[in-house]
Amino acid sequence: MKISHVVAGLAAAMLLTGAVSAADKKQIAFVVNGPSDFWKIAEAGVRKAQKELPDYELLFKYPERADAAIQQRLMDDLVAAGVSAIAVSVVDPKTSTDAIDRIASQVPLFTFDSDATDSKRVAYIGSSNTELGKNAGELAVKAMPNGGKCMGFVGLPGADNARERIEGFKAAVAGHNIELVDVRGDDIDQTRARANVDDTLVANPEINCMVGFYSYNPPRIYEALKDAGKLGQITVIAFDEDPITLGAVKEGSFAGTVVQQPFEWGYQGMKLLAAYVGGDKSGIPANGILIIPGIVITKDNVDQFQADFQAKLKS
């Protein structure tokens, strides 16, 4: 009888210890800028980091839509719930500085993908969007040696990542008789993204080049061109690694795509935040910017990229 009491007591103590340990885990949140399949790649990187950070609970949060107020409310809720740090892809940096600073005054806040350069964030983790834009422009120059008129498509024209990509593209095509006539925004609305392409095909017959600056824009371009029977007639420069985009590059319908490495944002980023929360700030660059370079994908290297990409998603 006594032995059973001892065993029961030990079991209860172990359960209590486990509960306390779980409760004692510090939480770090990764907040994206809207619902998009693109972020599933970053989420896979966070899952890998979680395996290597057993003393932390890593959260991955999607706002219900790409709206600065909704994103800010989500971060406020996370702070109220007691998270130890937040990484965020800022929806609208120009109007969000005060809100970002309010969060940063309560917990360490890092930005990724879309920076808020005037805020009090600790550091930015992600691509140089200007360089990505230049990579895309170089693809256009190679694909259109005689020049062309391009229409751009993007989710959030006011976001730094969009603005910098556009500026980089323009810089790379300057002097090559290639014009970016306009850029159509869609607020990360898939229906609007497709409608923007359809409208361009009707209203701007002079356009012979399209640039999809956000991950879901190239697939919508592909679908619209396919339905209009114009695949291969209009040069397409893409961003990111949506399966439709990679398939279009492989079949030669797209000139190429410039991909970021969101898996590494999630993996390296969360490990950096965990170290920072734990008191190790040595990984923070002096300028507060950690650049993870992009990759240019063409028909020549798309198969190898896809193989590596699928391996990461399964990690």
Side-chain angles (χ1 to χ4, degrees):
M1 189 71 174
K2 291 181 180 179
I3 294 176
S4 64
H5 286 166
V6 171
V7 171
L10 287 172
M14 289 174 67
L15 286 171
L16 182 59
T17 301
V20 171
S21 297
D24 284 348
K25 284 187 178 182
K26 292 182 177 180
Q27 294 181 322
I28 301 173
F30 195 103
V31 179
V32 302
N33 61 7
S36 170
D37 286 345
F38 170 78
W39 293 117
K40 294 186 184 303
I41 310 163
E43 195 169 0
V46 171
R47 286 199 303 270
K48 181 180 178 181
Q50 179 68 84
K51 294 175 184 177
E52 300 176 21
L53 298 168
D55 295 333
Y56 293 86
E57 182 182 1
L58 306 184
L59 310 175
F60 201 94
K61 296 293 185 178
Y62 291 84
E64 59 194 71
R65 65 177 184 273
D67 180 281
I70 290 174
Q71 186 181 63
Q72 291 160 20
R73 188 162 59 247
L74 173 57
M75 289 192 290
D76 284 333
D77 290 345
L78 287 166
V79 170
V83 297
S84 296
I86 294 175
V88 58
S89 175
V90 185
V91 169
D92 189 351
K94 291 180 181 178
T95 65
S96 301
T97 300
D98 289 345
I100 294 296
D101 286 347
R102 186 183 69 252
I103 300 296
S105 70
Q106 300 173 79
V107 297
L109 186 140
F110 291 65
T111 57
F112 64 93
D113 178 47
S114 177
D115 198 6
T117 54
D118 295 329
S119 73
K120 295 177 182 177
R121 54 93 167 127
V122 175
Y124 166 75
I125 305 163
S127 307
S128 165
N129 285 292
T130 301
E131 289 303 313
L132 296 177
K134 289 179 180 178
N135 293 154
E138 289 161 2
L139 274 174
V141 170
K142 186 175 181 180
M144 298 183 293
N146 297 320
K149 291 184 178 295
C150 301
M151 182 66 76
F153 303 93
V154 74
L156 303 167
D160 282 358
N161 59 353
R163 180 180 53 78
E164 291 168 4
R165 290 178 199 182
I166 293 165
E167 290 174 356
F169 183 88
K170 288 180 177 179
V173 301
H176 294 279
N177 197 32
I178 296 174
E179 178 187 2
L180 186 61
V181 176
D182 196 6
V183 179
R184 306 286 168 83
D186 55 57
D187 291 326
I188 312 186
D189 181 314
Q190 302 286 324
T191 302
R192 281 182 59 189
R194 168 62 191 266
N196 284 343
V197 183
D198 290 332
D199 292 347
T200 296
L201 290 172
V202 174
N204 303 88
E206 76 281 6
I207 294 298
N208 62 352
C209 158
M210 293 184 173
V211 187
F213 285 101
Y214 272 15
S215 62
Y216 59 85
N217 291 123
R220 303 296 83 78
I221 293 171
Y222 182 88
E223 293 162 359
L225 292 181
K226 184 177 180 180
D227 288 349
K230 293 188 176 182
L231 274 178
Q233 298 176 30
I234 293 178
T235 299
V236 180
I237 310 298
F239 277 79
D240 299 316
E241 55 274 76
D242 186 278
I244 294 175
T245 298
L246 294 177
V249 172
K250 186 172 183 176
E251 73 184 27
S253 297
F254 285 8
T257 187
V258 179
V259 304
Q260 305 174 85
Q261 298 196 67
F263 181 91
E264 297 300 331
W265 301 348
Y267 175 63
Q268 295 186 36
M270 289 310 240
K271 293 191 73 174
L272 181 64
L273 265 72
Y276 188 92
V277 169
D280 179 4
K281 301 179 181 180
S282 62
I284 306 299
N287 66 354
I289 297 174
L290 179 62
I291 296 299
I292 298 174
I295 305 170
V296 177
I297 305 300
T298 64
K299 199 171 184 178
D300 296 334
N301 63 347
V302 65
D303 287 337
Q304 183 59 54
F305 174 80
Q306 283 183 300
D308 295 342
F309 176 68
Q310 290 302 320
K312 285 181 176 179
L313 286 180
K314 294 176 183 177
S315 65

